[in-house]
């Protein structure tokens, strides 16, 4: 997927060198002839074009018409760009409307899906660092995807791109749109917690990342309430004072020294299919 701005020759070169899809904003590619040259190459090769509209670069006329950057303006901009390419005889298109204003982005998606059937690539742009980016993306994508709007997604974070992928998967799984993978639930800790639960929960989350099972793992802070609170999990561990419990569906399976809890959980997960 090549994201090309300004230079139409780069868009053409990207397609000639194997790009599966290109993203352009026809408005900054230049003259209609240049846009046409890009569209013709895409057409010859059957390469989809993603038409991207960003709140930061909305056309001046639309900002004036709607008295500022608005969802209506973003939609009109996107549909105008789509029409330009359609008029050149190509409709293998995907639309993306991005705004760093979460609710504006949600509104724009609600509006555009009433007016077109083209696939929509959904994301909250410039969402920020890990915490604010995740919150904004979760709320924005959650509200949009939960209405059945959207075909592909991007989570944008100022951070390691791997975190973007993890967040995207988690958002989809939380919405029930993606199955598979281990979900880790953990308690918030309280006065009963006698182990480093925060460290343990993070270790468990990393440990399960590559285990191809579809189940819920609980990491609980105490042996008093942990097993009960972890009832809905398939398997879990509950920390105690120097020792802890391995639990399945809320039932205690065995007691272990604290430093063996993580390894015991891993063992159980690796042999999960043999034991069920
Ligand atoms: S499981 Fe135990 S440690 Fe965790 S919040 Fe509940 S009572 Fe507190």
């Amino acid at each position: 997927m090549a994201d090309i701005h300004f230079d139409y020759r780069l868009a053409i070169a990207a397609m000639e060198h194997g790009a599966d899809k290109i993203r352009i904003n026809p408005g900054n590619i230049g003259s209609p002839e240049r846009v046409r040259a890009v569209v013709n190459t895409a057409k010859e090769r059957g390469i989809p074009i993603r038409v991207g509209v960003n709140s930061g670069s909305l056309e001046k006329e639309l900002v004036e018409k709607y008295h500022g950057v608005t969802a209506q303006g973003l939609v009109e901009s996107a549909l105008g760009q789509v029409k330009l390419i359609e008029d050149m005889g190509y409709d293998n298109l995907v639309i993306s409307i991005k705004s760093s204003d979460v609710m504006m982005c949600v509104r724009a998606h609600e509006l555009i899906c009433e007016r077109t059937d083209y696939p929509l690539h959904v994301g909250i742009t410039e969402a920020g660092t890990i915490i604010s980016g995740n919150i904004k993306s979760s709320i924005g994508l959650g509200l949009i995807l939960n209405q059945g709007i959207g075909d592909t997604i991007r989570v944008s974070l100022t951070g390691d791109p791997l975190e973007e992928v993890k967040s995207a998967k988690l958002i989809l799984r939380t919405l029930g749109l993606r199955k598979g993978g281990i979900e880790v639930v953990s308690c918030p800790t309280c006065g009963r917690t006698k182990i480093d639960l925060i460290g343990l929960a993070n270790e468990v989350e990393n440990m399960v990342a590559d285990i191809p099972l579809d189940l819920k793992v609980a990491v609980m802070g105490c042996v008093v309430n942990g097993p009960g609170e972890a009832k809905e999990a398939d398997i879990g561990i509950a920390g105690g004072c120097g020792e802890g419990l391995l639990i399945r569906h809320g039932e205690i399976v065995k007691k272990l020294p604290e430093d063996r809890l993580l390894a015991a959980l891993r063992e159980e997960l690796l042999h999960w299919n043999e034991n069920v």
Side-chain angles (χ1 to χ4, degrees), residues 187-194 197 219-227 229:
C187 81
T189 76
C190 73
R192 288 209 174 97
T193 318
K194 297 280 182 284
L197 191 77
V219 185
M220 311 307 280
C222 74
V223 293
V224 185
N225 289 355
E229 289 183 16

Side-chain angles (χ1 to χ4, degrees), residues 174-185:
T174 307
L175 287 165
L177 296 173
R178 182 188 165 92
K179 297 271 173 261
I182 295 180
E183 180 185 358
V184 178
V185 296

